[in-house]
Amino acid sequence: MGPIEFWKMSGSGNDFILIDNREGRVKENEMARLVERACRRRISVGADGVIFVVPSTAYDFGWRFFNADGGEVEMCGNGGRCVSRFAFLKGIVGPEMTFETLAGPVSAEVRDRRVKILMPKPGPVFLDIDLEFQKGWAHCDFINTGVPHVVVGVAALSDHPVKEQGRSIRYHPRFAPEGTNANFTSRMGPHRLSVRTYERGVEDETLACGTGAIASALVGAIRGMVNSPVTVETRGGEELVIHFERKGDSFEKVWLEGNTTIVYEGRLNPEALDV
């Protein structure tokens, strides 16, 4: 395999490698290994995940999304925002689009750096799930927003042991074998939350998580803590905005909005995949 052209992009602190793979340059059986090797920091490009743009017979394009550990997952909100702007700037599609994911079709609107995506319909909220409460927890709930998320309410978020408690939730037997993501959230006002997320596949706290921000906002709405639109303060300092319509205990028209950043364009040399 020769050098592979890619873009490095960031969505509110989540960073991704994006590859236009519509011509099948990277074969399916090569994807997981490329992801694992390319996402290593310091000795390769480094990223939270890799997005391959692929053809779709039903929508404008499709994607294959992989976390840094080489595992393919259904959805990533910040990755969805980045791939939307990537596809627009590469001339694949116009500023309004719908693309195919394992979680279902995702529609998007690109307005310069700001991208807004309409997420697949989330699953139901399960309040007070049966997990052993740990220090600092006020409540513990669950929702699938394209990928599974536990949402834990805490009073003091800045010094909360997110990595340690997040790892224990991620590997809890209740969620085996796939595991779950873990979010720790504090209410900052009727339309504002602060959220920190431990992401499965990255196996660490990340600077932001789009589906985690959505999960936290929807759980907060069910608990009567916040109303749409909800601004989510991320660990990286940027803000995500969640718009939604609530119908009883379910939600429709869930939008994720925020800025995207093009970090650089480059070519991935095969040497970076061998070491």
Side-chain angles (χ1 to χ4, degrees):
M1 186 188 303
I4 300 168
E5 293 185 358
F6 72 93
W7 285 21
K8 178 75 176 288
M9 294 185 69
S10 172
S12 302
N14 267 151
D15 59 339
F16 307 99
I17 298 166
L18 294 99
I19 297 171
D20 182 356
N21 203 50
R22 289 175 296 158
E23 296 182 358
R25 175 74 183 281
V26 182
K27 306 303 179 187
E28 183 159 352
N29 62 358
E30 299 172 333
M31 287 181 173
R33 180 177 180 276
L34 182 150
V35 171
E36 288 182 285
R37 311 300 277 184
C39 285
R40 297 173 298 167
R41 303 190 186 274
R42 290 178 292 277
I43 57 175
S44 192
V45 179
D48 292 329
V50 175
I51 299 168
F52 298 95
V53 174
V54 298
S56 171
T57 57
Y59 301 99
D60 293 312
F61 61 92
W63 85 347
R64 303 286 299 276
F65 180 83
F66 293 79
N67 278 325
D69 64 354
E72 186 172 12
V73 294
E74 299 87 345
M75 188 55 200
C76 173
N78 288 331
R81 294 191 301 105
C82 286
V83 78
S84 300
R85 188 177 177 208
F86 174 81
F88 169 61
L89 293 177
K90 294 281 283 186
I92 298 171
V93 70
E96 297 184 2
M97 68 201 75
T98 301
F99 60 96
E100 187 173 4
T101 78
L102 293 178
V106 173
S107 297
E109 301 174 0
V110 179
R111 300 290 182 266
D112 195 23
R113 291 183 58 188
R114 200 152 186 87
V115 181
K116 186 178 181 182
I117 62 173
L118 178 62
M119 303 290 290
K121 184 177 174 62
V125 173
F126 297 93
L127 299 179
D128 300 315
I129 60 173
D130 187 20
L131 292 188
E132 302 82 3
F133 264 49
Q134 300 185 44
K135 184 178 180 180
W137 292 15
H139 60 82
C140 180
D141 312 307
F142 178 85
I143 185 174
N144 190 307
T145 55
V147 289
H149 282 278
V150 169
V151 178
V152 175
V154 300
L157 189 58
S158 61
D159 58 353
H160 196 80
V162 168
K163 187 171 182 178
E164 294 76 11
Q165 291 188 2
R167 184 185 295 113
S168 69
I169 295 172
R170 183 262 188 267
Y171 287 104
H172 194 281
R174 177 189 177 102
F175 307 107
E178 292 85 3
T180 185
N181 302 281
N183 306 272
F184 300 86
T185 178
S186 290
R187 180 182 185 271
M188 310 301 289
H191 294 277
R192 181 173 289 267
L193 294 172
S194 182
V195 178
R196 296 173 61 185
T197 302
Y198 182 97
E199 287 198 52
R200 68 171 184 176
V202 180
E203 307 310 334
D204 203 348
E205 181 180 3
T206 54
L207 295 181
C209 175
T211 54
I214 293 169
S216 301
L218 300 186
V219 165
I222 290 292
R223 285 195 168 272
M225 299 164 56
V226 291
N227 296 302
S228 180
V230 179
T231 297
V232 173
E233 302 174 4
T234 70
R235 182 64 165 169
E238 293 196 42
E239 295 183 343
L240 296 168
V241 181
I242 319 301
H243 309 260
F244 55 85
E245 294 182 6
R246 182 177 173 183
K247 301 293 178 70
D249 289 338
S250 64
F251 297 92
E252 298 177 357
K253 297 182 180 178
V254 179
W255 290 86
L256 171 67
E257 180 182 3
N259 287 335
T260 59
T261 301
I262 301 169
V263 182
Y264 57 85
E265 301 175 38
R267 295 196 305 165
L268 182 64
N269 194 289
E271 291 180 9
L273 307 178
D274 292 336
V275 295

